[in-house]
Amino acid sequence: MGSRRGRTHFILVSSLLLALTTAACNGNEETTAPEATGNGGATKASESAKNSPAMKEGPFGKYDPPITMTTVRALPDLESYRKGESIDDNLWTRDLKEILGIEVVNKWKVNHKQYNNKITVSMISGDMPDFYQVDAKQLQQIVEAGQAADLTEVYQKYASDVTRQSYEEFNSIKLKGATFDGKLMALPLNGGVPGGAQMIWIRKDWLDALHLEPPRTMDDVIRIALAFTNDDPDRNGKDDTYGLNLMKDLFGGWAGLDGFMNGYHAYAYNPANGSGTDLTFVKNAEGKVVLADTLSEVKIALGKLQELYKAGAIPKEFSVLDGNKAGELATTGKVGMAYGEFWVGTWPIAGMKKENPAVDWRPYPIVSADDAPVHPGGRGDIPTSFIVVNKNAKHPEAAIKILNYFHEKVSGPNRDPNYHQVKEGDVNYQVFSLSPIIGPGFSNQNQIDNDLVQEALRTGDVSKLTSSAKTYYDGIMDYKKGNLDMWLWNALFGQDGAYSITNAYDRKTPPVTSVYMGQPTTAMVTKGPILRDLEVKIFTEIINGTRPVDDFDAAFVAEWYKQGGQEILDEVAASGRIK
Amino acid sequence: MSSKRWRMQLPLHVMIWPGLILVLLFCYGPMVGLIIAFQDFVPTNGLFGSEFVGLKHFEYMYSLPQTTEVIRNTLFISVMKIVAGLLAPIATALLLNEIRRESFKRSVQTLIYLPHFLSWVILSGILIEVLSPTNGIVNSLLASMGVEPIFFLGDQSWFPFVMVGTDVWKEFGFGTIVYLAALTSINPSLYEAAVIDGANRWQQTLYITLPGMLPIIVLMLTLSLGNVLNAGFDQIFNLYNPSVYATGDILDTYVYRLAFVNAQFSVATAVGLFKSVISFTLISISYWVAYRFANYRIF
């Protein structure tokens, strides 16, 4: 994430900022820019830098003599290195040593699947490296155990401009996610612009066959679902189609209910296979924080779903279908509409165009049940992955310098493609992933790229495209020339593609995200799974008609509060981490 | 004991040590970790640094709303599996034993053994198709006999039986092979003597074959009793869904959803310990019963 390129106006703004800060820094001894990247305003600054015996100050100050920082690494399933490189010795580690005077030593490295266990074991044995990657829960434990270094000051002092911009985008949501009692205790590696906003994926060829228009209201969605079920949209003379796809987890980026609920201004989200702690809290009319899933809007949506199920528009056996099985319904031409995220364009439907060019899946924005505009639900704005610096580390600021260097090479205006992705022969080497710290960069890179692609599609001028945007643009052009393998690029970045939809959301109807910013509370961890099971069970039974819709209040909402929900709300209210 | 004898036995001792060390290291060593069942375990504080909370996690386990239901489901499903999993292979072995054509016998044996090698992840995908109420082959057959389609995997009353049925179908080939092996060890002269005494096939089965198989049957039963709280995580996890939690949720799946997903190590360990203690007790009892009533000792 965030490791793709930025854009020209963006470069202008950031170099302006860079110039301003360097000017401000000239007064004291702080300075920016490693020699290797030094160009633009940064070079001037480094020329005026003064050597201190131990190290140069500033975001890219070099340690002399070099220092050693220990860390640990998670390895991908398929490791691929260029000749002469390894996870221990590569472009990044060499640069860090030569330019920053930081020698990074991997104390151990394991497959990413074992990483969490190994970190836990290391915590038990107390043998922690100088900096290491953790998830939100581990971060909380480490902070509570007092094992994390307070980075507030070193961040203020050493963070480069690109690092700052990355961390401060979207209301500094990333920094907030790593801040405990006003202190920055970790370097967040993700978060930012919310993802997860859904759209409606519809078989346009089926719409055309039945002379239907794309939906404008939820009533249209229901009408289309019923028509797809009853009017034989595939014209095979058999009653073998469904209107709206749904899978057993109920919520999720493919064949989930999220977007359908959003249409009724409901923001329920608690997938059956999830942790039960990734909850959406909203403020109700009285300003009290409540769980979105318990509000009456959800009940209305469930009522509509029950009607659809009764009419046969939702797969009869949705409660046993996982995402793959629901995907097969789509790829075998049994279902013509599903709510989902942008990536539905890449899976499961990406290959259908090639098999049968008549198939025409298209994304449409979600629609509202009434006159009020519809906002999609969103998640992932709060960081979940962090770099913790050991409180015993002698040079906590070195971690920030490594992060600076990563951002400089991969995300900032002076970025260098050789540090991102390099193609040698037939292999694409993800060079950026070798960096000891993989910074978050800018979280809306795909959206930025999409704007560029749209512009290029209009004007035919490809000169302004970033390298990633160029890939997308070329894919679309290839598709238009008849290479149906490239359909997905058109679905994602084409005119009226999935990213144009999310961009429109971000600009006009921004996603609704949880107002709670903290990590899962104790009650969420202990009671969350039980409450999740309760919710999924009752919702499933309401949809398939085993229960009346009115059971929503007594069997779900009341039970939710009774079985621990109230406790969760109390903890959330007491956390002081409400947006 | 003479040092000469010791020297002669030394190679044997050396041979057993690696195995013994591995068992100590990987089976007994980790038992130290059981103490986290009695702690509020925080990884950062280490194995011995976490606060001791006594039986809190066991109490938590019993206080969970669905615990009794889940234990009931677990016992129901696993006892049915043990019984059906014992009878089906014995019956099959006896039937196969009556078959003269060696080639037919062998091919049946191989065919029924095959599902044993498939993982539940794969089988679940197949079963969902086969048992589908809309286009599954089973329901198509039922429909041709005029039976309304049955939602085998979504119906609370059907689900446990489907679990037992599919598990037996998957594993009975394996048991059959064990029992067939036991049959070959029965002395043929017993049958010859019985024939001379005028015993028919059924009487031979009843008085010679079954008693001859009894030690193996007792062994298999005793071993399976230790698994009475393992109702089959792989299978149920891949086939169940929220609408059958009421009858299909077992201890392992429940704990997985509750504790593992959120890394609640202490609760998970408490449940594991609880299961081990029950299994240990059951194995001990069945061992004693086997010795007492069948005069059979496993060890």
Side-chain angles (χ1 to χ4, degrees), chain B residues 74-95:
Chain B
T74 311
L75 288 175
F76 182 70
I77 293 177
S78 71
V79 167
M80 295 241 303
K81 276 183 177 174
I82 289 175
V83 173
L86 195 72
L87 296 182
I90 293 176
T92 319
L94 290 177
L95 290 173

Side-chain angles (χ1 to χ4, degrees), chain A residues 550-567:
Chain A
D550 286 331
D551 270 15
F552 178 80
D553 301 302
F556 172 59
V557 179
E559 280 296 311
W560 188 85
Y561 276 93
K562 209 172 88 190
Q563 292 187 21
Q566 187 58 51
E567 211 179 315

Side-chain angles (χ1 to χ4, degrees), chain B residues 278-299:
Chain B
I278 300 276
S279 301
F280 181 73
T281 319
L282 281 170
I283 291 190
S284 308
I285 292 174
S286 56
Y287 176 76
W288 180 79
V289 169
Y291 177 54
R292 186 74 204 277
F293 295 102
N295 198 19
Y296 178 75
R297 306 192 79 142
I298 297 166
F299 306 113

Side-chain angles (χ1 to χ4, degrees), chain A residues 120 123-124 137 141-142 145 147 242 248 274-275 277 317 319-320 325 328 525-526 529-530 532-533 536-537, chain B residues 41 43-44 46-47 60 64-65 125 128-129 132-134 151 153 156 240-243 245 257-258 261-262 264:
Chain A
T120 308
M123 283 188 211
I124 295 168
K137 189 176 164 54
Q141 290 176 346
I142 290 163
Q147 291 188 350
Y242 298 107
K248 67 174 179 179
S275 64
T277 57
E317 51 209 297
S319 62
V320 301
K325 288 276 174 196
E328 283 168 21
V525 173
T526 53
I530 302 168
R532 170 204 60 205
D533 287 355
V536 174
K537 187 169 178 272
Chain B
F41 180 63
T44 37
L47 262 189
Y60 168 74
L64 290 172
I128 288 170
E129 291 288 334
S132 158
T134 44
F151 194 0
L153 294 172
Q156 292 191 359
Y240 79 160
N241 56 78
S243 45
Y245 280 169
R257 288 204 314 282
L258 249 55
V261 175
N262 287 310
Q264 296 225 69

Side-chain angles (χ1 to χ4, degrees), chain A residues 154-189:
Chain A
V154 282
Y155 174 78
Q156 286 309 331
K157 207 163 160 194
Y158 293 95
S160 70
D161 296 310
V162 184
T163 297
R164 271 176 221 278
Q165 286 156 15
S166 158
Y167 277 176
E168 285 161 20
E169 67 170 354
F170 298 99
N171 280 330
S172 300
I173 186 77
K174 289 179 204 151
L175 283 179
K176 284 178 191 164
T179 303
F180 292 77
D181 295 330
K183 291 180 197 151
L184 181 66
M185 301 308 288
L187 302 172
L189 299 182

Side-chain angles (χ1 to χ4, degrees), chain B residues 178-288:
Chain B
V178 174
Y179 292 117
L180 277 175
L183 284 175
T184 58
S185 69
I186 298 172
N187 190 343
S189 58
L190 290 174
Y191 292 102
E192 287 157 16
V195 171
I196 292 169
D197 286 347
N200 61 23
R201 296 299 289 187
W202 177 242
Q203 284 164 329
Q204 289 175 36
T205 306
L206 215 56
Y207 298 109
I208 300 171
T209 316
L210 280 179
M213 284 165 76
L214 194 62
I216 297 292
I217 295 176
V218 172
L219 171 72
M220 298 290 276
L221 183 65
T222 312
L223 291 179
S224 63
L225 274 180
N227 283 325
V228 78
L229 288 184
N230 291 329
F233 175 81
D234 292 3
Q235 178 194 21
I236 290 178
F237 184 71
N238 282 302
L239 285 168
Y240 79 160
N241 56 78
S243 45
V244 295
Y245 280 169
T247 58
D249 202 11
I250 57 167
L251 212 50
D252 287 341
T253 50
Y254 189 54
V255 170
Y256 175 84
R257 288 204 314 282
L258 249 55
F260 279 88
V261 175
N262 287 310
Q264 296 225 69
F265 300 113
S266 291
V267 180
T269 312
V271 175
L273 183 58
F274 166 76
K275 280 181 59 184
S276 302
V277 169
I278 300 276
S279 301
F280 181 73
T281 319
L282 281 170
I283 291 190
S284 308
I285 292 174
S286 56
Y287 176 76
W288 180 79

